[in-house]
Amino acid sequence: MHRNLRTFINQLRSEKEIVEIHAEVDPYLEIPEIHRRVIDEEGPALLFTNVKGKDIPVVTNLFGTIKRVDMAFGPKPEQLVKELVGSIDELMPPSPSVLWKKKGMIKDVLSLGTKKVSKSKAPLLETFTTNVNMKDLPALTGWHLDSNPFVTLPLVYTEHPDKHEHNLGMYRIEIKEENKTGIHWQIHKGGGFHHYAAEQKNEALPVTLFLGGPPSLMISAIAPLPEAVPELMFSSMLMGEKLSLAHVDGHPHPLIAEAEFAFGGVVPPHVREPEGPFGDHYGYYSWAHDFPVFNVDKMWKRKDAIYPATVVGKPKQEDYFIGEYLQRLMSPLFPVVMNGVRDLWTYAETGFHALAGAVVRESYYKEGLAHAFRIMGEGQLTLTKFLMVTNKPVNLQNFAELAEGVLERFLPERDLLIIHDTSMDTLDYTGRKFNTGSKAIMTGLGEPVRELKRSYEGGTISGIDNVGVFCGGCLTVSGPSFNEAPDFAEHLLKNSHDSFKDWPLVFLVDDASIAATQAEFLWTTFTRFDPAYDVYAKSTIDRNRIKYEGTIIIDARMKPFYPDVVETREDIDKLVTNRWDEYFKK
């Protein structure tokens, strides 16, 4: 498909999927608010040609609809993955007749990888300087409490200091000084592993930061690939051809020939500085924490470089559509990698890591629990906070269908497991301690044990002012805030048996009307509780076994120690409203 950002932009132009904005716009808050409003309307990509105080254009919202994601990659990657998976049994062991039959697929696979190109065929090398000023970039400040401008589509390339295996990750970059940025690689990510290995040797880790290039690079950097799968190879598969690399004397890494920018430097060992706050894709601010720094000493760029960016915040944002595509692309691999897992989905509405659902095989008693543990031990899925598992074939993208499949089979004494004191996603603060929290597995396996209620007829409940039905068996209820009544979930557990006896799962929330839509329900509930703290159920201990009974109540109200929800500042809201016609005039 697309070898660089330019060909993709040209295709967007030809299909009227991009709008050029020539009015002067500010990268501080204004561009992000324009972007968010266009995303809400599933509108076009945006090319800002007149960025205040900068001489570099900015492109955003490249992947903000399913249509544009499909335009970027076409059907071939999905077809190739499905064909590879479908051919495994035939190719093991291989035979001449089968190899001939699969010659087209084999040719496609052999065409993947990287290729070295000369400097004259590497547009990235058109400009080079050691006089680098990262503040010249039109990096966006997305939310008014952000500590600095951030690079939001960074392609961070590292190599293991001993094994030389590469990693390409998307770790946000905070622009602190002309030659120094923060680098937010989390403890469970490839770049973080490489830095850890370098620190054990008391060595700096060389880093190359790329911006732009083939759209496939941006997707590959986000993809939750196994550690052994190289991102550059995955990018080549998405492109359908080899990825062009250039080599420069004195620089330790290959350079992506068609990138817009490349910055070289090092991450020193044992240096940490505050990074953040930053309004992130959970829809809240992540607070300031100590992270490594990236010292930049060289830059390559195209003469007419374009700066690609995105904006994150409360779902749905652009990362929602990227995540949906990746799951669609990789879903045929799950049964291969995790035998017994029929289907798997993580929910973008919850920031992906807060909730996952799976359909699994259940051929003997509680086999499904073994598959649940397998899921929770796989790569980035280890950060999953809440996993719901059933053996009933359901459409996982419709969460209500999954929830009903689980709840009609759910016995709390058998099917709820809470795992205390585990690592958590860095961006999830519900565990009360940075990088730490708990997990829960809820299974609904075998034959149904109940018929689910779909309308609430339990009468008034003391302290509750509104009741919503999200799906069969699942209620939302709202009453006093956490500040007003922090123990109200416990009160409900003790005093609402008759009202909730037909409802296996109840969420205590700030506004029960969130039950009206999947997006609002998932974001408002699963990003606001920690299983060990906020799941309430009657229980007994039989030796070392905790046996839950009755209704499970989850306190998903906002807590005073959670980060703030990201919100547009009032003056920016008014500014963008007043200028809207100016941005889009012909």
Side-chain angles (χ1 to χ4, degrees):
M1 287 295 288
H2 296 288
R3 296 181 181 180
N4 56 48
L5 184 61
R6 312 309 178 86
T7 61
F8 185 40
I9 290 174
N10 288 339
Q11 184 188 9
L12 295 177
R13 282 196 183 103
S14 68
E15 302 206 19
K16 296 182 171 51
E17 281 287 330
I18 191 168
V19 169
E20 294 190 19
I21 295 178
H22 302 295
E24 184 182 68
V25 288
D26 199 327
Y28 177 78
L29 303 182
E30 187 178 10
I31 288 178
E33 178 59 16
I34 298 168
H35 170 105
R36 285 191 292 269
R37 293 190 188 193
V38 172
I39 278 276
D40 285 344
E41 299 298 324
E42 295 194 13
L46 302 169
L47 179 61
F48 300 93
T49 62
N50 186 4
V51 181
K52 183 177 180 180
K54 311 294 179 181
D55 58 3
I56 301 168
V58 173
V59 65
T60 76
N61 199 21
L62 291 166
F63 308 108
T65 62
I66 294 172
K67 178 181 178 181
R68 286 203 295 282
V69 171
D70 289 341
M71 286 171 60
F73 308 111
K76 193 168 184 177
E78 290 183 72
Q79 293 169 356
L80 180 58
V81 170
K82 289 177 181 176
E83 191 172 0
L84 283 168
V85 170
S87 300
I88 288 175
D89 290 340
E90 290 183 83
L91 291 171
M92 299 300 288
S95 68
S97 61
V98 171
L99 292 174
W100 178 256
K101 178 182 170 184
K102 300 291 182 181
K103 63 182 184 297
M105 180 193 73
I106 293 169
K107 181 180 178 182
D108 286 341
V109 172
L110 293 177
S111 70
L112 305 181
T114 61
K115 63 180 180 181
K116 183 177 178 180
V117 299
S118 65
K119 293 181 181 181
S120 63
K121 294 184 178 180
L124 172 69
L125 304 183
E126 290 173 346
T127 304
F128 172 73
T129 183
T130 56
N131 184 24
V132 184
N133 185 353
M134 297 295 287
K135 292 188 175 183
D136 286 341
L137 290 175
L140 307 184
T141 304
W143 302 98
H144 62 275
L145 296 183
D146 287 359
S147 53
N148 273 304
F150 283 79
V151 179
T152 51
L153 281 178
L155 305 170
V156 180
Y157 182 95
T158 59
E159 294 182 356
H160 191 283
D162 299 317
K163 302 174 184 177
H164 302 293
E165 299 165 343
H166 80 257
N167 177 262
L168 187 75
M170 191 166 285
Y171 315 122
R172 73 182 188 228
I173 299 291
E174 178 183 1
I175 297 181
K176 296 170 174 283
E177 300 173 13
E178 292 183 357
N179 302 102
K180 183 170 73 174
T181 78
I183 190 163
H184 187 99
W185 48 40
Q186 300 173 30
I187 56 177
H188 58 281
K189 300 291 181 69
F193 292 148
H194 291 174
H195 186 222
Y196 175 82
E199 283 193 319
Q200 302 313 296
K201 303 172 70 173
N202 202 34
E203 294 177 356
L205 180 70
V207 170
T208 305
L209 165 64
F210 296 100
L211 299 176
S216 61
L217 283 172
M218 303 177 206
I219 302 297
S220 300
I222 298 170
L225 301 172
E227 287 300 314
V229 177
E231 283 82 6
L232 298 189
M233 176 65 80
F234 187 73
S235 176
S236 171
M237 187 200 77
L238 293 176
M239 289 172 59
E241 61 180 277
K242 292 186 185 296
L243 179 69
S244 297
L245 302 178
H247 294 263
V248 174
D249 292 342
H251 189 66
H253 299 152
L255 296 176
I256 296 163
E258 296 282 353
E260 299 291 314
F261 296 85
F263 300 89
V266 298
V267 175
H270 315 299
V271 176
R272 302 291 189 276
E273 292 184 3
E275 189 265 3
F278 176 74
D280 65 49
H281 71 274
Y282 271 63
Y284 308 88
Y285 284 98
S286 54
W287 291 323
H289 297 284
D290 287 344
F291 274 88
V293 299
F294 175 37
N295 295 324
V296 186
D297 57 20
K298 58 181 75 73
M299 178 186 73
W300 296 266
K301 77 177 186 73
R302 289 173 177 256
K303 289 180 180 178
D304 57 348
I306 300 170
Y307 178 86
T310 191
V311 178
V312 293
K314 179 182 173 182
K316 297 179 177 180
Q317 299 296 330
E318 190 172 358
D319 60 333
Y320 175 93
F321 299 97
I322 296 171
E324 297 271 288
Y325 172 76
L326 281 171
Q327 295 195 82
R328 199 172 77 216
L329 176 68
M330 301 179 74
S331 59
L333 297 172
F334 296 141
V336 177
V337 177
M338 296 178 283
N339 186 30
V341 177
R342 307 297 193 200
D343 199 6
L344 178 65
W345 196 257
T346 61
Y347 292 86
E349 298 95 332
T350 72
F352 294 105
H353 292 315
L355 175 65
V359 177
V360 300
R361 183 179 63 205
E362 175 79 353
S363 55
Y364 59 84
Y365 177 68
K366 297 200 81 170
E367 181 189 3
L369 183 61
H371 298 313
F373 284 134
R374 179 69 179 87
I375 292 167
M376 297 287 253
E378 180 65 35
Q380 291 189 40
L381 289 167
T382 59
L383 294 176
T384 301
K385 179 169 70 176
F386 202 92
L387 173 63
M388 298 183 74
V389 174
T390 185
N391 63 308
K392 179 183 179 181
V394 295
N395 174 15
L396 291 176
Q397 296 179 51
N398 180 343
F399 179 72
E401 193 173 326
L402 167 65
E404 290 180 359
V406 170
L407 294 176
E408 65 188 5
R409 293 163 172 77
F410 174 70
L411 293 174
E413 66 273 18
R414 182 190 68 184
D415 296 329
L416 178 62
L417 176 64
I418 296 176
I419 305 167
H420 296 252
D421 196 26
T422 69
S423 64
M424 291 292 290
D425 187 0
T426 296
L427 306 181
D428 189 331
Y429 288 89
T430 59
R432 278 70 168 175
K433 185 179 178 183
F434 186 53
N435 280 332
T436 306
S438 66
K439 303 179 186 299
I441 298 172
M442 177 181 279
T443 59
L445 303 165
E447 296 301 317
V449 297
R450 67 173 60 82
E451 185 174 337
L452 300 175
K453 290 280 187 179
R454 300 179 182 279
S455 61
Y456 177 73
E457 299 167 357
T460 59
I461 305 169
S462 174
I464 292 297
D465 57 33
N466 194 15
V467 177
V469 177
F470 173 69
C471 67
C474 179
L475 292 178
T476 59
V477 299
S478 54
S481 68
F482 186 89
N483 285 339
E484 295 170 323
D487 298 324
F488 190 70
E490 186 73 35
H491 164 80
L492 282 180
L493 185 66
K494 293 177 179 178
N495 298 287
S496 304
H497 172 73
D498 289 341
S499 298
F500 293 157
K501 61 183 175 63
D502 295 321
W503 298 89
L505 185 59
V506 173
F507 285 90
L508 173 60
V509 294
D510 293 302
D511 179 2
S513 68
I514 60 155
T517 68
Q518 173 170 305
E520 198 67 21
F521 171 80
L522 290 179
W523 179 71
T524 307
T525 52
F526 286 90
T527 65
R528 296 184 184 179
F529 76 88
D530 175 80
Y533 279 95
D534 300 314
V535 173
Y536 291 80
K538 293 179 181 179
S539 62
T540 56
I541 298 178
D542 180 8
R543 294 183 179 269
N544 294 313
R545 179 186 178 193
I546 300 176
K547 297 174 67 174
Y548 302 101
E549 60 179 281
T551 300
I552 305 299
I553 298 174
I554 297 179
D555 186 351
R557 295 174 293 175
M558 277 294 288
K559 319 297 193 294
F561 40 84
Y562 288 176
D564 292 337
V565 174
V566 292
E567 294 179 330
T568 301
R569 204 170 69 189
E570 185 176 354
D571 62 319
I572 298 300
D573 182 70
K574 291 179 178 177
L575 172 71
V576 172
T577 297
N578 291 338
R579 295 193 67 193
W580 194 254
D581 290 342
E582 181 185 352
Y583 301 141
F584 295 100
K585 69 181 180 181
K586 302 292 186 182

